[in-house]
Every structure is written in C-alpha cells, then in structure tokens.
Amino acid sequence: QVQLVESGGGLVHAGGSLRLSCAFSGSTFSIYVIGWHRQAPGKQREVVADISNGGSPNYADSVKGRFTIQRDNAKNTVYLQMNSLKPEDTAVYYCNARRILLGYEYWGQGTQVTVSF
C-alpha cells in the first residue's frame, strides 16, 4: 500500500522560506509522478508542482521562480523548497502520487503552511 507522509510545514513571515518533504513508501517509487497540491480555506485545490522520474518539473504560474521541486530517489522522498513566501501561499499542502499507466492516485495527510504579513 502506498503511503505518503508530508512534513516541514509551519509559520513563517512573508519573504521567508520553508522546505516541505514527502516520504513515499509501499511501492516502487520510480513509476509514480509525485506532486504537491495546496488548498486554502474556501478555495479550490490546485496543483503547485509535480515531477516524474527522470522528467522535468512542472510548476504553477503562481510559484514559478520561487518554488523548486526535486526527487531524491535514494530516499524515496520529494521535496518542495519554498522561497520568497507570500501570504497568499497560505494553505494546506498535500503530497500526491499518480501511478504511470494505471492512473492510481494516493494522497498524504497534508501539512499546514501559514505565511504572515
């Protein structure tokens, strides 16, 4: 069974940085596309970034140039480095895994990111 565990959320001031971590277990890491999604109160969940094994990362326009996603295949972990944080980045951030070909999808429990003025 695929399990995703997020960590690294917290409270920061505008302009600060956080690094989120998504630990993957229970299956073959390389056959999954791993993404970060976020959902703010009263708003729709949106894709922030994703990355496949060996592929180029993709970013939402709102975070390009500020966030970086990377895979550490030795640790079965995906990171989201978040720099120059803005109050509008405040949301619960979820790790998502999508299996290539079969389309199975899994979600982590979420981690809260709060950016204060």
Side-chain angles (χ1 to χ4, degrees):
Q1 300 283 354
V2 170
Q3 186 176 12
L4 303 169
V5 180
E6 301 103 328
S7 61
L11 173 65
V12 297
H13 293 293
S17 297
L18 286 172
R19 190 170 83 151
L20 306 183
S21 176
C22 173
F24 176 102
S25 63
S27 190
T28 304
F29 187 53
S30 62
I31 64 173
Y32 287 86
V33 177
I34 309 299
W36 285 97
H37 299 228
R38 68 185 181 187
Q39 188 166 23
K43 292 191 175 182
Q44 196 171 359
R45 187 174 296 190
E46 63 177 346
V47 179
V48 175
D50 62 30
I51 186 167
S52 63
N53 187 47
S56 299
N58 301 295
Y59 299 97
D61 288 342
S62 60
V63 307
K64 284 181 179 177
R66 300 189 297 120
F67 292 8
T68 303
I69 188 171
Q70 61 184 48
R71 294 176 79 115
D72 186 338
N73 289 328
K75 296 182 178 179
N76 286 2
T77 299
V78 171
Y79 302 98
L80 185 68
Q81 179 66 47
M82 309 165 68
N83 297 326
S84 302
L85 283 162
K86 304 174 180 179
E88 51 263 46
D89 295 319
T90 295
V92 177
Y93 284 70
Y94 297 92
C95 186
N96 168 269
R98 290 183 288 111
R99 188 175 178 181
I100 296 168
L101 296 180
L102 297 182
Y104 297 158
E105 192 170 48
Y106 304 90
W107 294 91
Q109 81 286 353
T111 186
Q112 177 71 48
V113 171
T114 302
V115 184
S116 68
F117 290 95

